[in-house]
């Protein structure tokens, strides 16, 4: 296949050995961008570029009341083995009964990812032995999954600049329904494992992405977009920290034009940030290994977040033979659309693809476009609004309650509020400043009651969360703009009288020095003077 | 291609099961198979009736090699135990091989007789669970309502290190 990025620009690392004072930092991580805009790490010698290939397998836990094949409850934290039915514990004589909600969730996700929904899909058994898999097999869909051949579009900041966003696409190979396994707690001290089957049997959607990505940043952006889509659809809450979204990365490197390299699988990735780190580390590790003459083993590695590196996993023994076999207890799953819907059918027993399609909510990409159109903000602004949890709702609340234009409001939201939130690791919902107070503050600013620097002071005060309204703070700290023209003129005159040297310079033609006088006035008024007005008054006085 | 000869009695169709304790039907099945083969001629690979005493020096023609047996022991955690166990496996393979005589070109494989049935869809209600005590009743070891299992997967030792019949075959 044609090398990706052909026709692109390959920037080569500086050649080694130029003089004796070649610093290591120049050679260390020279990265070129190919035509697709992705980062391609160059080797140390800078001669042959490496093309990394990243594919992802994502397991998303379906949001439903009960499990995929049994009627026990799905809940995150519960007393051990309290949400387990006889089927989940794999006691003899039990049979799987498919949950309609899980099927609908999978169809919704498939439609949102532009997949072809298979009207007839089959269930299979995947056999392997592990203590948290009581049956010794997992019911999955290996031969004919519920949805195939989709695509996911995501946005990346090019060269870390928010203003240059590129849209990329990754192909979705398939989406399948499968069972989750239980949880094992390893007690190394007593050489035993404690098994909790509360999670065993919970419905999962496995989203298999084709290896179309080439670096950690792309993988992270794709997963973030998928997370937003799942949360918008409601098919999964997709919180990685609670294990509702699990990502395994398959990584390999090769020279463009040559056959693909050996790939490794990286597991135990617990957040999107760690995903990017794990992928980048593994790419670098493989490049280093191959350049020093070694080989890459086809193995499974775990990501150690504390050390920031991947280590081989003990428990995986070579290539597993899962002995897939058709699940004999489940007939094929038949889905219908408006055309194929048979008459005289019990509607509860039917999953109608068209019916679900009509009721799909607005996907994140559509929502972003709507924000841009509705509020006149830039695409990268709407990207950040949607990216941060709860920020979009906060923004819309403020806009509703203030007279300030959304274009100006967005500046306050993205620079002031967001930076404070990030510094304190808070989400928009946890903000100590409510949207009501912020709207109040912006109204004061818009009406000309305070200057923008005073507004920033009020913002800091509000951030302390002591419950005072913006107006109270303004009165308390006496931050109102001086409206009295006379008072302003007096202060300006005082500044002119004080600084004779500057006055001479201005009168001599150096106009920039007036800023010094404006600064003086600002200090004297403690930010309560409108700078434009001050400039006008000063200019008038100086020209007299 | 001729279809398989109809079996004279259903018991002739007994698959040779590895776990089968009784030997009663073994000789009957062997004789019936042998007879069928003789009647049909040489379409099936000719195995002698003395397969039970097959020399271990010859590589088996049915693909049941020591590597395959080791692989199966590892995957399914069964123990073939002795030559009789291995022979039962061979019989099972031979029995299944007869399916190849049927021309199935263009025919979709059937994996379940339920394939025309409707897959029942359950409403998403919580109807089970909260039976921790019952579930743990039969557990040999438990710790505070958790099941106790050995740590991780203890892999089956390699062939050289195992004390198994397969090494001597």
């Amino acid at each position: 296949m044609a090398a990706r990025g052909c026709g692109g620009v390959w920037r080569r690392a500086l050649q080694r050995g130029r003089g004796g004072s070649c610093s290591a930092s120049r050679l260390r991580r020279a990265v070129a961008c190919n035509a697709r805009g992705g980062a391609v790490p160059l080797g140390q010698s800078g001669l042959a570029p490496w093309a990394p290939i990243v594919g992802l397998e994502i397991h998303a836990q379906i949001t439903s009341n009960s499990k995929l094949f049994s009627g026990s409850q799905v809940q995150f934290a519960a007393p051990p083995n309290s949400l387990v039915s006889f089927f989940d514990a794999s006691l003899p004589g039990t049979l799987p009964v498919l949950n309609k909600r899980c099927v609908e969730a999978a169809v919704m996700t498939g439609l949102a990812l532009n997949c072809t929904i298979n009207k007839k899909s089959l269930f299979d058994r995947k056999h392997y032995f592990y203590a948290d898999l009581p049956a010794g097999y997992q019911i999955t869909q290996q031969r004919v999954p519920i949805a195939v051949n989709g695509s996911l579009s995501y946005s990346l900041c090019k060269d870390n600049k928010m203003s240059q966003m590129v849209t990329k696409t990754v192909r979705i190979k398939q989406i399948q329904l499968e069972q989750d396994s239980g949880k094992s707690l390893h007690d190394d001290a007593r050489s035993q494992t404690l098994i909790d089957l509360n999670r065993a049997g919970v419905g999962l959607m496995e989203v298999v992405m084709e290896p179309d990505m080439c670096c950690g940043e792309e993988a992270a952006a794709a997963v973030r977009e998928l997370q937003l889509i799942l949360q918008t659809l409601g098919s999964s809450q997709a919180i990685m920290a609670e294990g509702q979204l699990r990502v395994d990365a398959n990584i390999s490197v090769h020279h463009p034009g040559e056959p693909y390299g050996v790939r490794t699988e990286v597991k135990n990735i617990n957040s999107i940030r760690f995903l990017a780190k794990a992928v980048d580390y593994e790419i670098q590790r493989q490049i280093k290994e191959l350049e020093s003459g070694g080989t890459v083993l086809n193995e499974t590695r775990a990501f150690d977040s504390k050390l920031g590196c991947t280590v081989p996993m003990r428990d995986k023994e070579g290539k597993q033979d899962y002995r897939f076999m058709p699940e004999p207890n489940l007939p094929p799953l038949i889905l219908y659309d408006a055309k194929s819907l048979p008459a005289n059918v019990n509607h509860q027993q039917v999953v109608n693809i068209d019916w679900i399609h009509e009721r799909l909510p607005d996907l994140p990409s559509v929502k972003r476009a709507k924000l841009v159109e509705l509020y006149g903000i830039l695409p990268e602004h709407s990207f950040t609004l949607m990216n941060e949890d709860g920020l979009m709702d906060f923004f819309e609340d403020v806009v509703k309650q203030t007279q300030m234009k959304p274009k100006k409001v967005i500046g306050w939201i993205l620079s002031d509020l967001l930076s404070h939130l990030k510094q304190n690791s808070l989400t928009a919902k946890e903000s100590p400043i409510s949207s009501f107070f912020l709207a109040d503050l912006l109204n004061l600013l818009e009406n000309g009651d305070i200057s923008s620097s005073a507004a920033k002071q009020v913002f800091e005060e509000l951030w302390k969360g002591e419950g005072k309204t913006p107006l109270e703070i303004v009165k308390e700290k006496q931050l109102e703009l001086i409206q009295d023209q006379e008072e302003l003129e007096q202060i300006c005159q005082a500044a002119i009288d004080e600084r004779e040297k500057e006055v001479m310079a201005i009168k001599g033609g150096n106009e920039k020095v007036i800023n010094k006088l404006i600064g003086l006035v600002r200090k004297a008024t403690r930010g309560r003077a409108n700078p434009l007005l001050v400039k006008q008054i000063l200019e008038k006085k100086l020209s007299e | 291609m001729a279809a398989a000869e109809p079996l004279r009695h259903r018991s002739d169709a007994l698959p040779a099961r590895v776990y089968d304790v009784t030997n009663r039907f073994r000789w009957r099945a062997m004789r019936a198979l042998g007879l069928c083969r003789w009647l049909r001629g040489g379409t099936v690979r000719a195995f002698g009736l003395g397969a039970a005493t097959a020399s271990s020096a010859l590589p088996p023609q049915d693909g049941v090699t020591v590597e395959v047996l080791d692989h199966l022991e590892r995957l399914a955690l069964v123990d073939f135990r002795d030559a009789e166990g291995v022979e039962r496996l061979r019989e099972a393979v031979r029995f299944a091989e007869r399916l190849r005589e049927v021309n199935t070109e263009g025919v979709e494989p059937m994996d379940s007789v339920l394939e025309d049935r409707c897959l029942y869809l359950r409403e998403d209600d919580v109807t089970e669970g909260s039976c921790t005590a019952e579930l743990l009743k039969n557990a040999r070891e438990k710790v505070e309502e958790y099941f106790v299992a050995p740590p991780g997967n203890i892999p089956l030792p390699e062939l050289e290190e195992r004390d198994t019949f397969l090494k001597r075959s």
Side-chain angles (χ1 to χ4, degrees), chain A residues 64-67 70-73 80-82 84-86 89 97-101 129-131 143 185 191-197 315 317 321 323 326 328 330-333 348-349 351, chain B residues 71-72 74-77 111-112 114-132 134-136 141 143-156:
Chain A
S64 59
N65 298 329
S66 56
K67 296 185 181 175
S70 67
S72 35
Q73 193 183 3
N81 291 310
S82 61
V84 185
S85 69
F86 288 176
V97 186
L98 184 55
N99 181 339
K100 186 179 181 203
R101 155 73 189 159
F129 286 113
Y130 207 73
R143 289 169 296 158
L185 302 167
S191 197
Q192 62 189 14
T193 303
L194 303 178
I195 307 291
D196 174 12
L197 296 177
D315 244 344
E317 322 137 17
D321 180 355
R323 293 180 297 153
L330 292 171
L333 172 62
Q348 190 274 331
Q349 283 297 310
V351 174
Chain B
H71 189 55
L72 280 173
R74 187 176 302 278
L75 279 181
L77 295 181
D111 23 75
S112 164
L114 302 171
E115 64 179 16
D116 290 331
R117 296 279 201 90
C118 190
L119 175 54
Y120 179 77
L121 294 172
R122 186 175 55 85
E123 274 304 316
D124 186 27
D125 298 318
V126 176
T127 55
E128 298 172 285
S130 301
C131 48
T132 319
E134 265 191 277
L135 289 173
L136 291 172
E141 267 187 71
V143 168
E144 280 181 37
E145 308 200 313
Y146 286 95
F147 293 101
V148 177
N153 257 355
I154 305 168
L156 206 59

Side-chain angles (χ1 to χ4, degrees), chain A residues 299-312:
Chain A
E299 58 178 347
T300 306
R301 299 176 73 90
F303 178 66
D304 186 326
S305 48
K306 290 199 202 93
L307 300 173
C309 63
T310 61
V311 293

Side-chain angles (χ1 to χ4, degrees), chain A residues 160-199:
Chain A
N160 270 330
K161 286 192 222 137
M162 279 301 281
S163 49
Q164 293 185 46
M165 304 210 77
V166 279
T167 307
K168 297 202 173 204
T169 313
V170 57
R171 290 168 296 160
I172 306 281
K173 178 161 179 239
Q174 63 189 50
I175 299 178
Q176 59 197 48
L177 282 168
E178 57 182 35
Q179 286 177 307
D180 205 348
S181 64
K183 264 215 190 113
S184 12
L185 302 167
H186 296 286
D187 184 359
D188 293 321
R190 281 181 215 93
S191 197
Q192 62 189 14
T193 303
L194 303 178
I195 307 291
D196 174 12
L197 296 177
N198 283 345
R199 204 184 65 179

Side-chain angles (χ1 to χ4, degrees), chain A residues 101-358:
Chain A
R101 155 73 189 159
C102 294
V103 178
E104 292 172 343
V107 171
M108 267 200 296
T109 310
L111 290 171
L113 295 175
N114 307 310
C115 294
T116 311
I117 308 289
N118 282 331
K119 295 228 188 64
K120 177 174 169 190
S121 54
L122 306 169
F123 289 98
D124 303 301
R125 288 185 183 179
K126 177 177 171 182
H127 300 82
Y128 63 95
F129 286 113
Y130 207 73
D132 62 17
L133 195 68
Y137 61 85
Q138 177 196 36
I139 301 180
T140 173
Q141 292 184 302
Q142 191 245 358
R143 289 169 296 158
V144 187
I146 193 167
V148 288
N149 294 338
S151 65
L152 170 66
S153 298
Y154 58 97
S155 304
L156 269 188
C157 308
K158 197 167 160 193
D159 298 333
N160 270 330
K161 286 192 222 137
M162 279 301 281
S163 49
Q164 293 185 46
M165 304 210 77
V166 279
T167 307
K168 297 202 173 204
T169 313
V170 57
R171 290 168 296 160
I172 306 281
K173 178 161 179 239
Q174 63 189 50
I175 299 178
Q176 59 197 48
L177 282 168
E178 57 182 35
Q179 286 177 307
D180 205 348
S181 64
K183 264 215 190 113
S184 12
L185 302 167
H186 296 286
D187 184 359
D188 293 321
R190 281 181 215 93
S191 197
Q192 62 189 14
T193 303
L194 303 178
I195 307 291
D196 174 12
L197 296 177
N198 283 345
R199 204 184 65 179
V202 173
L204 292 179
M205 287 180 289
E206 179 170 346
V207 180
V208 182
M209 293 185 177
E210 300 279 15
D212 290 344
M213 292 162 282
C214 67
C215 60
E217 203 191 341
E218 289 192 359
V223 170
R224 177 71 187 133
E225 186 66 17
L226 179 66
Q227 207 180 29
L228 285 173
I229 291 178
L230 290 172
Q231 287 167 347
T232 308
L233 291 173
S235 55
S236 169
Q237 283 169 325
I239 303 174
M240 276 182 95
E242 286 182 14
Q244 288 166 356
L245 190 71
R246 284 165 249 163
V247 181
D248 300 332
N250 294 307
I251 300 158
S252 72
V253 296
H254 71 117
H255 292 297
E258 284 180 25
Y260 287 177
V262 176
R263 71 183 160 116
T264 60
E265 190 183 358
V266 179
K267 286 177 156 327
N268 195 35
I269 299 169
N270 296 330
S271 79
I272 297 191
R273 227 167 34 96
F274 288 154
L275 171 64
K277 272 202 193 155
V279 169
D280 287 331
Y281 175 86
E282 182 63 18
I283 291 172
Q284 288 302 312
R285 184 195 76 89
Q286 289 194 8
I287 290 178
K288 263 192 247 164
E289 187 71 36
L290 292 172
E291 286 197 331
S292 63
T295 53
V296 175
L297 296 167
N298 178 5
E299 58 178 347
T300 306
R301 299 176 73 90
F303 178 66
D304 186 326
S305 48
K306 290 199 202 93
L307 300 173
C309 63
T310 61
V311 293
M313 268 177 100
R314 270 176 310 117
D315 244 344
K316 293 275 172 169
E317 322 137 17
K319 225 164 174 237
Q320 284 270 42
D321 180 355
Y322 292 114
R323 293 180 297 153
F324 285 98
M325 102 183 199
E327 167 62 53
N329 295 323
L330 292 171
L333 172 62
I334 310 287
L335 303 171
Y336 300 96
D337 56 18
K339 271 188 290 185
S340 64
L341 197 61
N344 311 334
V345 75
N346 177 4
H347 282 270
Q348 190 274 331
Q349 283 297 310
V350 157
V351 174
N352 185 338
I353 302 171
D354 289 336
W355 190 88
I356 295 177
H357 194 75
E358 281 161 28

